[in-house]
Amino acid sequence: MNVSVVTIVVVVFYLAATFFVGWRGKRLASSDDMFNVFGRRAGTIRAASGYLSLIGGGELITICQMGYDNGLEVYFFLGGIAAGFLFLALFSERLRRIASERGVTTFSGLFGDLFGPSASTALTGVFVLSLGSLLSIQFIVGAQLIDSITGVPATVAALVMAAIIVAYLLAAGYVAVLSTDILRAVFMSLVLIIVVGFLFVYSRHIPPSNSFAPLGNLDRSTFFALGMFAVICAGDVWQTVFASKDRSTASRSLVIGAVCFLVFGGLIALIGVSTKAVVPEIAAGSSALIEAIRQVIPGALSPLMGLLIVGSVMATADTEIWVLSTSLLSSKLPSEARYASKSSPHAAFHAELARKTRLMLPVVTLVALVLAYLTQNAQALYQGMLVLLTSIAPVVFITMFVVLRKAAVVLSLWGGLISFLVLFGFFRAEVPLEYTFLPALISLLLLGVGMLVPTSRSDEDFASK
C-alpha cells in the first residue's frame, strides 16, 4: 500500500469516527434545549475543546506562514489570541449571565434582545461576512491540502466533508459540535507533537536566526490587537461561553483555551520555521504549509498530516456552520424572553429554533461551498475577517462594562460594518496593515455620538441586569 492510499484510509477512518461521535449525540440532543445550546451545562473539557476547534484551515495556513516569515515573532499574534481568551475569562460573566436569564442562544440574539433588531441585523451581518469567509477558507484550504497529500480532487474532498458535517449537525445540533471537538483535540495534540518532534529532534531542521524578517513595532502591536479582538468579538467563542454551565466553568475553559492556543499555535508555527531551513524561498501561489507537506515532512507522516488537516477543517467548519445558521435566525427568534408563545414558552422556543436551524444548516453549507469554489484567495479572506471583527470591538468591549444606549450601539455597529465594506472594496480585499483599525475608530466615534441620544427603554432593561 503506498502512502497516498494509507493516508486516504486514515482520513476515511477519522471521517467515520467523527460521524459516529456526532450522530451518537442525537438522543441527548432530543431533550430540552440540548440541541440549541447544550442545555447550558457544558463542562470544562468540552468547552475548552470548543475553543481549540478555532484552529482551522485559515489558522493553519496563517500561523505556519508567519512562522516561516517571522520565526518566533508569531507569538505577538498568538499572544493576542491568548490575551483575548484571558480577557473573556475575567470579564465575560455579565453577558453570559444575561444570556442565561433571558434564554439567549447566540451573541447576535443577545444584542437583538437588548438593543433591538437593527443591532442584531448589523451584528449578524458582521458574523455572516466573517464566519462566512472562515467557512469558505475551511473548504478552500482543506480541500487543496487533501488534494496535495492524497490526490483526491479538491471538489470531492470538500463535498464529502460538508455532507458529513451537515448529517451530524441535523441529528444532534450543538451537542455534535462540542462532542466532535473533543475527538479532534485528542488527534491534533498527538499529530503535532509527533510531526514537530520529528522535524526538530530527528531531522534537525533548524534554520539560522537571520533567516527571518523581524516585525516592526507597529506590526507587532497590530497583530497582537487583531488576535485579541478576533477572540473577544467572535460569535463562535461566545456561543461556547453561553453553553458553559457556570461562571467557574466558563473561566477555567477560557484560560485553558489561552494556554492551548499558545502551545498548539507555537507547534504549527514551528512547522513553518522548519520549512525555512529546507525551502529558503517559496514559489508564488504556494504557502509554507503546502511546501512543508511537499518537501519537508516525510511521506511516512502524510497520514498524520491528513488527520491534522481534516480534523482542523471539520471541527472549525461545523462550528461556523452552526453559528451562522443560528445567527441568521436571531432577529426572528432572539430569546425565550421575547418568544411570542404563551404556552410552555421554554419548550416551544427551543423546538421552533431547532426546527428552523435544521432548515438553515444545508443552505448555509451549500452557499459556503459555492463561495469556496468561486473564491480561492484564502489568505486575503482571513485577513479581511480579522479586520472586520476588529471593527465591532469598541461596542463589544464596552458592553461588558458600561450600560450603552440603543442608538449608540446601532450607530457603532453599522458604522463599523459599512466602513469595513468600503475599505475592503477600495483595496480589493487586500487591506494594508496601516488601515486595519480605521473601521474600529469610526465605530468608536459613532459610539460616542450615539451616547448623546436620550436613554431608551431598552437601555433601562439592560441597566436593570
Side-chain angles (χ1 to χ4, degrees), residues 151-434:
V152 174
T155 304
V156 174
L159 288 173
V160 170
M161 288 189 293
I164 292 174
I165 290 171
V166 171
Y168 66 67
L169 287 182
L170 289 174
Y174 204 57
V175 173
V177 173
L178 293 183
S179 298
T180 55
D181 286 345
I182 295 177
L183 178 69
R184 184 275 182 130
V186 172
F187 277 105
M188 179 183 182
S189 303
L190 294 173
V191 169
L192 283 175
I193 291 171
I194 293 171
V195 170
V196 175
F198 176 87
L199 294 177
F200 281 89
V201 176
Y202 182 76
S203 294
R204 300 185 182 277
H205 290 163
I206 303 174
S209 58
N210 60 359
S211 301
F212 307 105
L215 294 172
N217 290 330
L218 177 60
D219 290 343
R220 291 169 179 170
S221 302
T222 299
F223 280 119
F224 184 89
L226 284 173
M228 181 175 178
F229 291 129
V231 172
I232 294 174
C233 303
D236 40 2
V237 171
W238 281 102
Q239 187 91 17
T240 305
V241 170
F242 292 166
S244 301
K245 68 178 181 179
D246 54 35
R247 178 176 188 169
S248 60
T249 298
S251 295
R252 282 196 304 269
S253 60
L254 285 162
V255 171
I256 293 173
V259 174
C260 286
F261 252 88
L262 289 176
V263 173
F264 293 111
L267 291 174
I268 293 167
L270 286 177
I271 295 176
V273 170
S274 178
T275 302
K276 190 76 171 184
V278 180
V279 188
E281 297 292 335
I282 292 178
S286 186
S287 70
L289 184 58
I290 290 177
E291 294 305 319
I293 292 171
R294 289 175 177 171
Q295 302 188 52
V296 182
I297 298 172
L301 297 182
S302 291
L304 294 181
M305 290 302 297
L307 277 181
L308 176 64
I309 293 162
V310 173
S312 298
V313 168
M314 292 189 66
T316 305
D318 64 9
T319 303
E320 288 157 358
I321 291 171
W322 178 262
V323 175
L324 277 169
S325 299
T326 53
S327 294
L328 287 167
L329 299 171
S330 60
S331 294
K332 290 189 176 182
L333 293 169
S335 69
E336 291 178 53
R338 296 266 177 115
Y339 188 61
S341 174
K342 295 181 179 180
S343 59
S344 185
H346 179 84
F349 169 77
H350 286 286
E352 181 71 2
L353 181 58
R355 184 184 69 83
K356 291 188 174 182
T357 301
R358 284 190 171 100
L359 294 175
M360 189 69 70
L361 289 169
V363 176
V364 168
T365 306
L366 181 60
V367 171
L369 285 170
V370 173
L371 289 176
Y373 180 78
L374 297 175
T375 309
Q376 294 297 312
N377 192 344
Q379 196 71 28
L381 285 176
Y382 188 78
Q383 182 181 340
M385 178 275 301
L386 292 175
V387 176
L388 175 56
L389 288 178
T390 302
S391 73
I392 62 170
V395 173
V396 176
F397 186 92
I398 297 173
T399 299
M400 286 187 274
F401 303 98
V402 179
V403 178
L404 293 175
R405 295 174 177 172
K406 178 179 177 180
V409 171
V410 172
L411 274 175
S412 183
L413 288 175
W414 280 106
L417 174 59
I418 292 172
S419 58
F420 164 78
L421 291 174
V422 171
L423 192 67
F424 194 74
F426 181 80
F427 287 106
R428 298 182 180 180
E430 301 284 351
V431 180
L433 278 179
E434 57 266 29

Side-chain angles (χ1 to χ4, degrees), residues 13-243:
F13 172 80
Y14 179 83
L15 291 174
T18 303
F19 177 77
F20 173 76
V21 170
W23 186 270
R24 194 166 177 263
K26 182 178 181 180
R27 184 174 180 180
L28 182 61
S30 64
S31 62
D32 202 29
D33 56 351
M34 291 296 292
F35 184 91
N36 297 318
V37 70
F38 204 83
R40 301 186 195 278
R41 56 177 186 262
T44 302
I45 299 301
R46 200 179 292 268
S49 298
Y51 300 132
L52 187 56
S53 73
L54 299 179
I55 300 179
E59 287 73 17
L60 285 178
I61 288 286
T62 301
I63 295 172
C64 186
Q65 189 65 47
M66 288 189 71
Y68 179 91
D69 293 332
N70 311 114
L72 295 182
E73 293 207 9
V74 67
Y75 269 100
F76 284 99
F77 179 57
L78 296 176
I81 293 174
F85 279 116
L86 294 176
F87 183 88
L88 291 181
L90 294 172
F91 303 114
S92 64
E93 174 58 19
R94 186 186 192 190
L95 297 186
R96 190 199 69 82
R97 178 173 52 81
I98 294 173
S100 178
E101 291 171 354
R102 292 180 175 235
V104 174
T105 62
T106 66
F107 198 52
S108 52
L110 176 65
F111 271 66
D113 213 54
L114 295 173
F115 306 113
S118 183
S120 175
T121 300
L123 199 55
T124 298
V126 170
F127 291 153
V128 165
L129 291 174
S130 61
L131 291 175
S133 297
L134 273 178
L135 183 55
S136 295
I137 288 171
Q138 305 316 313
F139 292 128
I140 293 170
V141 173
Q144 289 176 346
L145 293 176
I146 291 171
D147 187 3
S148 68
I149 293 177
T150 65
V152 174
T155 304
V156 174
L159 288 173
V160 170
M161 288 189 293
I164 292 174
I165 290 171
V166 171
Y168 66 67
L169 287 182
L170 289 174
Y174 204 57
V175 173
V177 173
L178 293 183
S179 298
T180 55
D181 286 345
I182 295 177
L183 178 69
R184 184 275 182 130
V186 172
F187 277 105
M188 179 183 182
S189 303
L190 294 173
V191 169
L192 283 175
I193 291 171
I194 293 171
V195 170
V196 175
F198 176 87
L199 294 177
F200 281 89
V201 176
Y202 182 76
S203 294
R204 300 185 182 277
H205 290 163
I206 303 174
S209 58
N210 60 359
S211 301
F212 307 105
L215 294 172
N217 290 330
L218 177 60
D219 290 343
R220 291 169 179 170
S221 302
T222 299
F223 280 119
F224 184 89
L226 284 173
M228 181 175 178
F229 291 129
V231 172
I232 294 174
C233 303
D236 40 2
V237 171
W238 281 102
Q239 187 91 17
T240 305
V241 170
F242 292 166

